[in-house]
Amino acid sequence: MGCCDKPFTFEPEDATAAAIALDVSRRGVLAGMAAAAGALATLGGPASAQSKRIKLAFCSQLLCVVPYEVARAGGHFTNEGLDVELIYTRGGNAAMQSLVGSAVDYAATSLDVALQAYARGADIRRFATTGRLPLFAVATAPNRANDIQRIEDLAGRTVGVSALGNADHALMLYLLRRANVDPTRVQFATLGPNILEALRQGQVDVGLVQEPALTLVAKAGGRVLVNAMDSKDAERFLGGAYEFMGVAVRAPEVAVRRPEMEKLARALRNALQSLQTMSPEDLVKALPRELTTGADLGELQEVLARYRGSLYPTTVAIDLAASTRVSDSLKVAGLIPPDANTSGLYDTSIVGAG
């Protein structure tokens, strides 16, 4: 799940849920960097007379949205004859509810949101990916850096997560399993979005944080045990890529939308390739001002420069092996049934499979 999402609840007939899902905002979404703004906003470039207007909803975590904003600002959507309205929602579950409720045409969410929705009966298909690693790192409190030096040292310790069942909790359970640590010997503290302060103050031994919280806690003396945003750590601790952000559509509409889906996938692929060579300054400029208001732009540029090579693929083809790692982590966390068959979620006929 993106950021602090709760497990997906599938309510296909609930019009109220769909309406709530469309309560969107241009929130500053890199915690501690961008200020909150607006209760409702949609973003998109000017439409040409021939452009096809489509609505694409996603959660508001900054590192998730970069490929989509680069596609918008760089004219990649327009070049494909698409006028894409980017709708910011309060979490990936809200974006998924918007799709299931037919309020938008597409939803871009972390894979675990799509897997849970599919496992609960949502008739959706995921056909393109824009992120190949989760946006989390496992770091110690500064006063625990000497005592805790690896995942195996977490037995008997307290680990801060946003909430039980969230993506960070599922990822931590997966890491514990791979390190042969009994999860029942770890105490989880649910802290919502306030993990950084609890970690810096030593209220928990370890926490799962994103950027720039990771940079801040490391500067304060915390030890980084696993940085899942780094490809080397992902290979070592997760076994390789771990499918994250991607685009889904309602399954009954695939046939009629296929040409449009191909254009959307092509635009996102071109944006992904472009962002790898753009200067960090230009990457930040591609983002709406509402996302960066109050941010330390220099720090933001450093974060994007540091992680773009590992976080963003240069193809939108779904990596099925990486997707299996995510579904395995959700089964371990009890978020989808252990015998769930989620292979039908993926439509690799649009751009193929990785």
Side-chain angles (χ1 to χ4, degrees):
M1 279 156 283
C3 305
C4 304
D5 288 338
K6 297 178 181 178
F8 181 85
T9 301
F10 177 45
E11 299 171 333
E13 301 301 329
D14 191 343
T16 301
I20 292 173
L22 275 182
D23 182 16
V24 300
S25 65
R26 286 176 173 173
R27 289 181 297 155
V29 289
L30 201 53
M33 294 180 65
L40 176 66
T42 54
L43 299 169
S48 69
Q50 291 76 33
S51 294
K52 173 65 182 298
R53 183 77 163 180
I54 59 176
K55 293 182 178 181
L56 189 154
F58 50 25
C59 71
S60 302
Q61 215 289 338
L62 185 53
L63 293 180
C64 290
V65 309
V66 171
Y68 302 85
E69 289 294 356
V70 168
R72 178 191 61 81
H76 300 293
F77 290 139
T78 303
N79 291 343
E80 295 294 337
L82 300 175
D83 176 24
V84 179
E85 186 178 7
L86 299 180
I87 300 178
Y88 284 70
T89 66
R90 294 190 176 99
N93 280 329
M96 184 58 69
Q97 286 285 12
S98 298
L99 177 67
V100 173
S102 299
V104 297
D105 303 303
Y106 300 95
T109 71
S110 59
L111 177 57
D112 56 312
V113 166
L115 281 166
Q116 290 183 81
Y118 183 80
R120 287 162 173 78
D123 195 10
I124 57 173
R125 295 293 182 271
R126 186 174 169 104
F127 64 94
T129 184
T130 57
R132 60 185 172 193
L133 293 178
L135 303 178
F136 298 105
V138 184
T140 73
N143 63 350
R144 297 289 186 268
N146 292 331
D147 302 332
I148 304 174
Q149 301 189 20
R150 55 183 189 156
I151 296 294
E152 287 83 351
D153 296 333
L154 294 183
R157 301 289 185 171
T158 300
V159 177
V161 295
S162 60
L164 299 182
N166 279 6
D168 51 353
H169 179 228
L171 179 64
M172 189 71 250
L173 291 174
Y174 189 59
L175 290 169
L176 291 170
R177 186 184 75 167
R178 288 181 61 86
N180 293 317
V181 177
D182 183 355
T184 63
R185 298 190 62 198
V186 176
Q187 181 177 353
F188 286 96
T190 57
L191 303 172
N194 301 315
I195 296 176
L196 173 60
E197 284 309 310
L199 198 57
R200 288 201 290 198
Q201 296 174 22
Q203 296 173 354
V204 293
D205 299 312
V206 169
L208 277 88
V209 293
Q210 299 178 315
E211 285 288 10
L214 175 61
T215 296
L216 295 174
V217 75
K219 287 181 178 178
R223 180 187 297 275
V224 181
L225 303 181
V226 178
N227 184 354
M229 294 176 283
D230 178 83
S231 55
K232 291 183 179 179
D233 269 15
E235 184 68 37
R236 177 183 175 188
F237 294 102
L238 300 176
Y242 189 92
E243 194 87 356
F244 199 67
M245 196 72 170
V247 186
V249 66
R250 289 180 290 275
E253 299 175 15
V254 169
V256 68
R257 288 189 181 272
R258 181 171 296 276
E260 178 182 281
M261 293 164 65
E262 292 173 349
K263 293 178 180 179
L264 183 59
R266 196 158 49 237
L268 290 170
R269 179 204 64 192
N270 292 341
L272 286 166
Q273 294 175 355
S274 177
L275 70 82
Q276 295 296 341
T277 58
M278 293 170 63
S279 70
E281 293 82 1
D282 286 340
L283 278 176
V284 171
K285 289 178 182 178
L287 303 174
R289 288 175 54 191
E290 290 80 3
L291 285 180
T292 57
T293 299
D296 181 333
L297 297 184
E299 186 174 73
L300 177 54
Q301 291 169 11
E302 291 178 7
V303 167
L304 291 173
R306 184 185 314 143
Y307 292 115
R308 61 179 169 184
S310 58
L311 291 180
Y312 307 118
T314 55
T315 173
V316 293
I318 295 172
D319 185 333
L320 295 177
S323 300
T324 298
R325 294 187 186 96
V326 181
S327 61
D328 286 347
S329 75
L330 296 184
K331 291 175 181 178
V332 168
L335 295 177
I336 61 176
D339 59 349
N341 182 355
T342 56
S343 60
L345 170 64
Y346 310 107
D347 186 340
T348 58
S349 68
I350 304 300
V351 293

